[in-house]
């Protein structure tokens, strides 16, 4: 993995864009495209072979495929590519801040952790920002990328962690 690909996948705040549901060509969009591809003709197949009492499953399948189409047609290219703040964190300044400090990630900045982010992040994201950037400082961006690229973008939001 080269640095350009890592920068496309991981935002300056350390959040993994590649695993976000809004990221064009992220893992969720690409997986939805793959599933759609493998479903081509499936509803027609079901319509031909299923008896009337099972036809309801065709309607459910069509709803599922429509959701996959929605997930495969997302448009965010990531904050480093001109979509800054459109889909993620309202009023986010981190891209501009990291550029002005000459770093790719907050964790590489001499001022990290700073208090500027408290106004834009909810508590869960603030915690993720701290953990992610501390991890980048500890192990470097390449290893951090390897750790995060296969994890759900939304793990911190699980309500009932057991």
């Amino acid at each position: 993995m080269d640095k350009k690909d890592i920068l496309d996948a991981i935002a300056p705040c350390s959040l993994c864009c590649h695993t976000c549901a809004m990221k064009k060509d992220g893992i969720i969009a690409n997986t939805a495209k793959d599933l759609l591809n493998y479903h081509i003709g499936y509803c027609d197949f079901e319509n031909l072979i299923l008896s009337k009492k099972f036809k309801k499953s065709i309607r459910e399948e069509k709803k599922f495929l429509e959701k996959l189409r929605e997930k495969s047609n997302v448009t965010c290219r990531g904050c480093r590519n001109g979509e800054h703040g459109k889909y993620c964190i309202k009023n986010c300044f981190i891209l501009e801040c990291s550029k002005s400090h000459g770093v790719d990630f907050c964790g590489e900045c001499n001022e990290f952790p700073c208090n500027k982010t408290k106004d834009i992040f909810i508590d869960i994201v603030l915690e993720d920002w701290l953990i992610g950037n501390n991890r980048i400082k500890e192990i470097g961006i390449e290893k951090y990328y390897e750790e995060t690229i296969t994890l759900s973008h939304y793990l911190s939001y699980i309500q009932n962690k057991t």
Side-chain angles (χ1 to χ4, degrees), residues 16 18-19 27 144-153 155:
C16 186
H18 181 71
T19 58
I27 192 65
Y144 180 76
Y145 169 85
E146 290 172 12
E147 282 183 359
T148 59
I149 201 71
T150 60
L151 300 176
S152 171
H153 190 78
L155 287 175

Side-chain angles (χ1 to χ4, degrees), residues 61-72:
E61 186 72 19
K62 287 180 179 180
K63 287 178 187 177
F64 171 68
L65 294 175
E66 185 53 41
K67 287 292 183 188
L68 285 177
R69 275 186 209 85
E70 289 173 18
K71 293 295 179 195
S72 70

Side-chain angles (χ1 to χ4, degrees), residues 7-131:
L7 293 176
D8 183 60
I10 310 288
C13 63
S14 81
L15 299 180
C16 186
C17 296
H18 181 71
T19 58
C20 178
M22 296 308 294
K23 178 73 162 76
K24 177 184 176 100
D25 297 324
I27 192 65
I28 293 173
N30 287 342
T31 301
K33 289 173 192 171
D34 288 345
L35 286 170
L36 281 168
N37 180 58
Y38 289 114
H39 275 85
I40 293 172
Y42 183 72
C43 289
D44 297 318
F45 167 76
E46 278 190 328
N47 197 35
L48 286 172
I49 65 157
L50 292 179
S51 65
K52 275 189 174 183
K53 69 179 185 177
F54 295 109
K55 296 289 183 181
K56 180 181 177 193
S57 71
I58 295 172
R59 287 190 302 275
E60 291 171 3
E61 186 72 19
K62 287 180 179 180
K63 287 178 187 177
F64 171 68
L65 294 175
E66 185 53 41
K67 287 292 183 188
L68 285 177
R69 275 186 209 85
E70 289 173 18
K71 293 295 179 195
S72 70
N73 288 319
V74 294
T75 59
C76 182
R77 296 181 309 123
C79 66
R80 295 184 198 269
N81 297 305
E83 298 293 335
H84 186 56
K86 185 173 180 183
Y87 295 103
C88 203
I89 299 164
K90 188 176 179 176
N91 300 320
C92 186
F93 57 84
I94 291 178
L95 177 64
E96 292 82 9
C97 188
S98 64
K99 284 180 179 180
S100 73
H101 285 89
V103 297
D104 291 320
F105 303 95
C106 295
E108 298 172 333
C109 182
N110 291 334
E111 296 178 24
F112 175 80
C114 66
N115 290 325
K116 299 175 200 172
T117 57
K118 288 182 181 173
D119 293 334
I120 61 168
F121 288 146
I122 59 173
D123 290 343
I124 293 170
V125 179
L126 183 62
E127 185 176 337
D128 285 349
W129 173 75
L130 286 167
I131 291 169

